[in-house]
Amino acid sequence: MRNELLRTAAVSAVLVATMAVFSAAQAAELRLLTWSGYAPDDVVAQFEAETGIDVEVTFSNNEEMISKLRATRGAGFDLAQPSQDRIEGPQVEFEIYKPIDLSQIDTSLFIPSLLEATKGNTTVDGQVYGVPHVWGTSGLVVDRANAGDVADYGDLCNGSHAGKVSMRLKRPVLIGFAFSMGMDPFAAYSDPAEYEQILNKVAESLIACKADVKAFWEGGDQLISSISTGEVTAAMAWDTGGWKLNNENPDVTFVAPSSGALGWVDSFVLPARGENDEAAYKWINFVMQPEIAAKITGAAGNFTASQGADAFVSDTLKAQFNDSFPQEAIDNINWYPPVPAGLEDLEGRVLDRIRASG
Amino acid sequence: MSVAALPSEGAGRAGLRLSLILLLAPALLWLGLLIILPHIQLLALSLKVKLGPRLYETGLTNYTEFFAESIYWSTLIRTAFISIAATALTLLIAFPVAYYIAKMIRGRRKNLLFVLALLPFWVSELIRTLGWIIILRETGLISLGLQWLGLIDQPVELLGNDAAILVGLVYTSMLFMVVPLVTVLDSLDDTLVEAGYDLGGNGFAVLREIIIPHAMPGIVAGCIIVFMLTLGNILTPALLGGKNSLWFTDQIFQKFIVRFNWEQGAAFGFLLLIVSSLVVWIGLKITRQSLASTMT
Amino acid sequence: MSPAPDLDIRGLVKRFGRFTAVEDVTFTVPEGSFFSILGPSGCGKTTLMRMIAGFSRPDSGDILIKGNSTIGLPPNRVAANMVFQHLALFPTMSVAENIGYGLRRRGHSKSEIAERVERMLERVDLAGSGPKQINQLSGGQKQRVAIARCLVLEPALLLLDEPLGALDLKLREQMKVELKQLQAKLGTTFVYITHDQSEALVMSDQVAVMNAGRFEQIGTPQDLYYRPLTAFVAGFVGNSNRWRGTVSAVGAQTRYAAEGGFELIGQAVSGLSVGQPVDLFLRPEAITLSRGTDPEAAAANALVGNVQSLLFDGGNSMAIVAPDRGGGSITVALPQTGDLADLTPGEPVRLSWSAEQVTGFAAASAA
């Protein structure tokens, strides 16, 4: 009888093991964890045709990427694309990435300044964990016909557009408003006490502003529809959203705030327990070719760190970019430094307090 | 209980017991691996207190912080109250609908109406909620319709408040109330209702003394399902709720996904489990039903 | 002026689409009587009952209870209460709560309700059963609770819709007697509908036989049994040997030629003419059976034949006899006394009957 029980247990164990084997990756497969738009179908098809490697794409965002990798201790994907400021902290805390072998990457494809900056921001214990891919900014999307006076984050709360402004209640809004109020939150990253003080000041002003806010937007589509229907005339948002709206309504576009747009760089990282590094390197070298990078810019709306790709980007997008970013606005961009571990929780409490108020 | 008392009994009984264990093995495995084990892990996680990167100690800080920070517990209370309100409202609306389907019509039209009640569930919750956004927003159908009728001269924003959350939650929960109610009302003998009238009862008396007592197991089952679904809903409150709207499951999600604070997220998950169990238990006590009777 | 009868139905009609369920029914039920409506299923008796109770509204005609029209009143305001076919006791209530339900609706005080319920329970021999749940009762006890639940309201009229139908035979026989005695004791007017002629005959003061939406005949059980006015009543009430035939002669007696080639002689019936097709009825117990073949076998209202089979059923035993002349088999009631007790199949016998026992009705024209 006991034998029978043991046998049942053994059979169950074998079953579970078999399932695990089947769910594991096949050798000639690249499991890519990225943002929507970063792996357009035509690019994937071309890569598969050239290398014979199947690409399985999963769309996500920064927080989800990190959470997914944390849950599996870095398994399940061969290549991921968190922003460069979200690499050092999670690596220190959860060890979910592995170092990049730069000799496997054709560094001549990268804009040198972006590559160097990203390498610097993603170095832990002397090893580089990230290389740049797509960059962009957060700032203001403004309907210039109705809210032409909005030039900085703080202007959203000047009272003249009450009930017609929107923002996303996430960490960029705290940082943007801090800059707009004349503080430097990035400099305070290393000093939690000072950072908390800054956040408290920002929270105070945002709570006061809350009556003017029509809604805190959640998804990009939601924001775009409220601006195109005229329900919202000025909002804090990503640059691509503004340019997308500009295609339909020339009055609406992205405005780089006078205290500086917030610059982010989405990068490439190797998950700690990725199984196909070779394919990952191949993908990086493939998509950084100027023509391919331009295709990704076309799909995602943001420019890449690929040297010379601008030549292949559509004139409309280039015109929109130049309109939003005169040279001094580019120089003025505040690039996100690496987020130290534990900062998110601090910010989360402040965001909760803002939402719960009123 | 008496599994240890085996030796004194015959070998036949022992064999019987073993086959019973084998028979139950898949269910027990499922229960153990998918429900109990993760909860034990969650409990262990919730008792870990983070001191710094990769440095933890055991303690109740994650729980005490919930009570110390008023936003947390007030969000949980608010979530529970709105869920109870949504459950009550769903019952109020679903009961006449279910009664109509179960008792007032027959044959093909009955099936048709039942399918009609099911229809909204053929699209995803996201699409359904977006539908409500289109209807309720400032430039939405109701606002435009009222302006067109001349009843209002300014666009009216109906989105982004607790009433909108309630509307969305009730709509989403409707089916889960209608189905158990139709089932239980179907089993109500029509002559009981007729007898209720014949012996001098008016509509209200018949409803209160005959129909509702009969339907009680279905009502309680429906309410438990709807309450649990509503309490655990995350999409509807996020999309229809306003700028002040906090929802507890969203807090848990934030803790886990956005703030990488699994330890406190786990503690919050346990607190939610305790509160929902408590509400259901109180509900069963008030209606004098047992969980077993509502599930048969 | 005599007091208004408890129930007075005048020219009641109910149609469902093109189907007429109740067609021009008129009758009265005097106070304190036991009135039955007897008919096959689908004859319209339930529809009639539901109109009296107020559950459905007649297309024309009037219903008066104690002289007051109930047309348009909801069922909870009609002064008649109903015992349903399957009793419809409220399963979520105790016995006492079931009986007290109507009193609670009338807003009586708790103590008064408790007192009246207990008194009612005593009257139906269920004293002390108040706290019991419905599913703890036997079939007969449930029956009595259902009746008590109505009677505690002291209705002008108690309607009973085949309440014995669900009981087993033994209990049904016993309940028949009980119901009759209960009605006599309480003096409440009972209107009882059934398809079981035995129930109707045993319990009722008056019986109405209903067929296809109409009343065929209203009368005492004896009237219906011995003096049926229509072929339907003759056939439906009690057992009969039945033949098709034609009228062969009219006069002081009427002579019929039955199918199968033998002659029946009955009493004079007005309205029949020679050659007219008729339905002929002869009750099994009206036939005298004797042993052996008599030389007078060819005499009027008599024939000889052989016992085909014997159906022993105690007091209701029957013999089936095949006449020598043919003409199908004839059922004869078998007295269990005397020398006929040892009758065996195959024995030759002689059957005879008097002319009063032969009843003939003009057959429906198309037949």
Side-chain angles (χ1 to χ4, degrees):
Chain A
M1 299 254 179
R2 181 165 297 166
N3 279 340
E4 220 167 310
L5 251 182
L6 278 175
R7 209 180 308 151
T8 317
V11 169
S12 316
V14 168
L15 264 175
V16 171
T18 318
M19 275 158 59
V21 167
F22 270 100
S23 64
Q26 308 295 303
E29 189 187 47
L30 174 67
R31 293 163 303 161
L32 176 61
L33 183 59
T34 187
W35 302 74
S36 77
Y38 287 15
D41 290 343
D42 54 338
V43 172
V44 169
Q46 200 181 335
F47 178 76
E48 286 177 345
E50 283 184 19
T51 61
I53 298 170
D54 285 336
V55 183
E56 188 195 299
V57 182
T58 306
F59 295 130
S60 189
N61 58 42
N62 269 332
E63 287 88 4
E64 261 182 44
M65 283 183 208
I66 295 164
S67 295
K68 273 189 175 142
L69 293 177
R70 179 185 176 188
T72 59
R73 296 193 188 88
F77 297 94
D78 306 311
L79 185 61
Q81 296 211 255
S83 300
Q84 50 102 17
D85 58 321
R86 309 298 279 274
I87 296 174
E88 188 196 324
Q91 174 60 18
V92 167
E93 202 163 354
F94 313 127
E95 281 184 289
I96 53 179
Y97 308 129
K98 60 177 144 190
I100 286 187
D101 179 359
L102 287 164
S103 68
Q104 300 282 327
I105 289 174
D106 182 356
T107 48
S108 68
L109 292 170
F110 292 80
I111 297 171
S113 59
L114 268 170
L115 179 61
E116 287 314 310
T118 304
K119 275 159 71 179
N121 279 341
T122 61
T123 299
V124 179
D125 296 335
Q127 297 201 285
V128 172
Y129 285 86
V131 291
H133 181 212
V134 175
W135 68 275
T137 62
S138 299
L140 298 163
V141 173
V142 175
D143 178 354
R144 287 173 292 190
N146 293 306
D149 61 316
V150 175
D152 202 359
Y153 305 107
D155 295 338
L156 293 173
C157 296
N158 66 9
S160 54
H161 306 290
K164 298 235 162 219
V165 301
S166 183
M167 54 191 79
R168 188 160 179 251
L169 200 55
K170 292 275 151 75
R171 58 188 309 264
V173 83
L174 301 175
I175 291 162
F177 269 78
F179 277 117
S180 174
M181 291 163 76
M183 299 177 284
D184 186 351
F186 292 162
Y189 262 17
S190 52
D191 183 351
E194 194 194 338
Y195 191 64
E196 194 169 1
Q197 266 189 351
I198 293 179
L199 290 184
N200 285 339
K201 284 185 199 154
V202 170
E204 207 176 301
S205 103
L206 278 173
I207 287 169
C209 174
K210 208 174 161 190
D212 289 359
V213 175
K214 178 174 176 65
F216 294 123
W217 60 273
E218 295 280 340
D221 294 337
Q222 191 190 349
L223 175 75
I224 284 175
S225 84
S226 33
I227 293 180
S228 57
T229 55
E231 288 179 14
V232 166
T233 56
M236 182 170 172
W238 290 303
D239 44 16
T240 48
W243 296 331
K244 208 183 259 181
L245 283 160
N246 183 260
N247 292 334
E248 287 149 28
N249 180 357
D251 284 338
V252 179
T253 194
F254 178 79
V255 170
S258 53
S259 61
L262 301 172
W264 45 262
V265 182
D266 290 336
S267 44
F268 290 112
V269 296
L270 299 174
R273 286 158 68 195
E275 287 159 7
N276 202 347
D277 296 345
E278 196 192 331
Y281 290 125
K282 275 188 184 157
W283 175 265
I284 295 171
N285 289 327
F286 178 76
V287 297
M288 292 312 288
Q289 302 170 79
E291 295 92 334
I292 307 294
K295 281 185 189 171
I296 290 174
T297 297
N302 281 113
F303 290 86
T304 66
S306 166
Q307 181 82 287
D310 293 3
F312 301 95
V313 169
S314 83
D315 292 336
T316 323
L317 192 56
K318 271 192 264 189
Q320 285 169 333
F321 178 82
N322 289 331
D323 189 28
S324 299
F325 284 102
Q327 188 55 46
E328 68 270 22
I330 298 181
D331 296 339
N332 200 22
I333 291 175
N334 296 307
W335 296 95
Y336 283 108
V339 182
L343 211 64
E344 286 95 347
D345 218 25
L346 201 62
E347 291 161 347
R349 279 159 209 263
V350 174
L351 293 171
D352 277 345
R353 217 164 69 215
I354 296 168
R355 191 180 275 281
S357 73
Chain B
M1 240 184 6
S2 64
V3 181
L6 250 173
S8 65
E9 297 182 5
R13 280 290 292 275
L16 200 70
R17 189 159 302 175
L18 186 71
S19 60
L20 189 73
I21 291 171
L22 286 175
L23 206 68
L24 289 175
L28 289 174
L29 257 163
W30 181 79
L31 205 70
L33 288 177
L34 291 174
I35 297 178
I36 296 174
L37 209 64
H39 272 88
I40 291 173
Q41 271 192 328
L42 218 56
L43 184 66
L45 196 60
S46 75
L47 294 171
K48 273 168 77 176
V49 180
K50 188 159 139 187
L51 299 176
R54 300 184 220 168
L55 192 61
Y56 296 94
E57 66 170 14
T58 301
L60 287 170
T61 312
N62 292 319
Y63 290 93
T64 52
E65 237 176 81
F66 168 86
F67 294 101
E69 179 68 78
S70 69
I71 288 175
Y72 295 152
W73 55 259
S74 64
T75 301
L76 181 53
I77 290 173
R78 180 188 133 83
T79 306
F81 268 103
I82 294 185
S83 296
I84 291 169
T87 306
L89 208 60
T90 308
L91 176 62
L92 232 55
I93 296 170
F95 199 87
V97 172
Y99 192 80
Y100 186 78
I101 292 175
K103 289 284 152 211
M104 315 286 273
I105 48 170
R106 298 265 171 273
R108 187 183 290 191
R109 287 181 55 210
K110 180 172 182 156
N111 294 333
L112 190 81
L113 267 181
F114 206 67
V115 168
L116 223 58
L118 269 164
L119 211 56
F121 294 83
W122 290 4
V123 297
S124 77
E125 191 186 353
L126 182 67
I127 305 290
R128 262 181 280 144
T129 311
L130 288 177
W132 279 109
I133 291 180
I134 291 172
I135 291 170
L136 295 175
R137 67 188 303 168
E138 200 180 329
T139 49
L141 289 179
I142 293 180
S143 178
L144 289 179
L146 289 175
Q147 288 175 76
W148 183 77
L149 288 170
L151 293 173
I152 50 172
D153 49 8
Q154 286 280 315
V156 57
E157 176 65 273
L158 300 167
L159 209 59
N161 49 49
D162 290 352
I165 297 184
L166 269 182
V167 167
L169 288 176
V170 168
Y171 182 72
T172 302
S173 312
M174 209 56 185
L175 178 75
F176 302 98
M177 191 66 94
V178 168
V179 169
L181 285 181
V182 166
T183 312
V184 77
L185 287 173
D186 249 341
S187 72
L188 172 64
D189 187 350
D190 287 344
T191 60
L192 290 182
V193 175
E194 287 185 341
Y197 280 111
D198 184 71
L199 294 166
N202 55 20
F204 177 71
V206 170
L207 180 70
R208 200 183 51 140
E209 296 237 5
I210 294 156
I211 299 174
I212 290 182
H214 175 88
M216 207 35 119
I219 291 174
V220 173
C223 284
I224 291 176
I225 297 170
V226 169
F227 176 73
M228 291 298 200
L229 281 177
T230 309
L231 201 66
N233 196 319
I234 186 163
L235 196 65
T236 306
L239 290 180
L240 299 180
K243 48 194 182 184
N244 302 336
S245 150
L246 283 165
W247 201 256
F248 200 67
T249 43
D250 184 57
Q251 293 262 339
I252 297 175
F253 174 83
Q254 298 280 341
K255 286 282 171 206
F256 268 97
I257 306 294
V258 180
R259 301 178 195 162
F260 314 123
N261 192 343
W262 287 14
E263 297 74 28
Q264 192 152 45
F268 281 20
F270 257 88
L271 288 163
L272 184 68
L273 183 71
I274 290 167
V275 167
S276 60
S277 308
L278 199 69
V279 170
V280 168
W281 182 78
I282 291 172
L284 287 172
K285 283 285 151 217
I286 289 175
T287 56
R288 290 186 206 151
Q289 298 283 314
S290 74
L291 207 55
S293 75
T294 62
M295 295 304 157
T296 50
Chain C
M1 220 180 106
S2 62
D6 273 1
L7 180 63
D8 188 355
I9 303 280
R10 295 174 186 167
L12 215 56
V13 176
K14 179 71 185 178
R15 294 185 194 89
F16 295 107
R18 291 168 67 185
F19 171 71
T20 304
V22 173
E23 197 172 358
D24 193 23
V25 166
T26 298
F27 64 97
T28 60
V29 179
E31 191 180 340
S33 65
F34 197 126
F35 186 94
S36 290
I37 299 168
L38 171 66
S41 55
C43 74
K45 57 188 193 300
T46 299
T47 307
L48 177 60
M49 183 73 108
R50 292 177 63 80
M51 285 193 284
I52 299 171
F55 290 123
S56 75
R57 203 184 271 221
D59 291 313
S60 65
D62 203 355
I63 301 168
L64 295 100
I65 294 177
K66 291 225 183 272
N68 302 314
S69 174
T70 68
I71 303 294
L73 287 184
N76 50 344
R77 295 186 49 209
V78 172
N81 292 121
M82 186 151 162
V83 176
F84 288 81
Q85 190 166 6
H86 299 288
L87 306 180
L89 294 174
F90 305 132
T92 52
M93 300 180 198
S94 69
V95 169
E97 284 168 338
N98 260 280
I99 297 176
Y101 172 85
L103 295 173
R104 290 200 297 280
R105 300 284 76 75
R106 290 183 181 176
H108 290 292
S109 72
K110 264 191 182 161
S111 56
E112 190 191 341
I113 292 173
E115 190 196 313
R116 283 175 69 169
V117 166
E118 198 44 51
R119 232 186 308 145
M120 195 67 227
L121 280 170
E122 275 167 33
R123 287 170 78 182
V124 294
D125 297 325
L126 283 171
S129 295
K132 282 190 183 165
Q133 289 301 308
I134 297 301
N135 57 19
Q136 291 175 285
L137 301 181
S138 71
Q141 288 171 326
K142 283 181 188 169
Q143 198 81 46
R144 278 178 276 161
V145 172
I147 292 166
R149 188 174 72 170
C150 293
L151 292 182
V152 78
L153 299 173
E154 292 164 0
L157 203 60
L158 185 66
L159 307 172
L160 301 101
D161 181 5
E162 306 207 31
L164 305 187
L167 303 181
D168 62 62
L169 183 72
K170 193 90 184 168
L171 189 56
R172 193 154 67 215
E173 293 301 319
Q174 184 190 329
M175 283 307 294
K176 271 189 227 170
V177 181
E178 241 181 69
L179 260 182
K180 174 74 185 162
Q181 286 169 347
L182 191 67
Q183 192 269 337
K185 184 165 103 185
L186 299 168
T188 308
T189 308
F190 277 31
V191 175
Y192 187 99
I193 71 173
T194 181
H195 66 272
D196 183 320
Q197 47 158 314
S198 151
E199 287 176 21
L201 296 182
V202 168
M203 292 188 283
S204 313
D205 299 318
Q206 290 254 297
V207 179
V209 179
M210 194 170 183
N211 181 35
R214 293 174 172 279
F215 275 8
E216 296 267 342
Q217 183 174 357
I218 304 176
T220 63
Q222 292 80 358
D223 280 341
L224 299 178
Y225 194 84
Y226 293 114
R227 289 172 291 281
L229 294 180
T230 65
F232 179 80
V233 176
F236 192 73
V237 179
N239 298 318
S240 282
N241 290 293
R242 183 174 184 160
W243 297 275
R244 301 318 283 277
T246 50
V247 178
S248 52
V250 293
Q253 288 187 316
T254 313
R255 287 173 173 270
Y256 307 99
E259 272 174 5
F262 68 96
E263 188 175 57
L264 287 159
I265 300 164
Q267 284 185 304
V269 179
S270 60
L272 289 183
S273 53
V274 176
Q276 197 173 354
V278 285
D279 287 316
L280 300 165
F281 296 90
L282 179 61
R283 296 210 180 274
E285 67 269 25
I287 301 170
T288 312
L289 181 145
S290 50
R291 278 191 155 146
T293 39
D294 198 275
E296 279 181 78
N301 281 350
L303 47 79
V304 290
N306 292 311
V307 175
Q308 205 172 29
S309 56
L310 290 165
L311 309 174
F312 182 76
D313 182 18
N316 298 321
S317 297
M318 299 282 172
I320 296 176
V321 176
D324 288 347
R325 288 184 193 166
S329 53
I330 297 175
T331 306
V332 183
L334 206 58
Q336 289 302 301
T337 53
D339 57 354
L340 288 175
D342 57 350
L343 204 63
T344 52
E347 265 190 68
V349 288
R350 179 179 187 272
L351 307 177
S352 65
W353 55 87
S354 68
E356 293 94 78
Q357 304 292 348
V358 176
T359 325
F361 297 99
S365 54

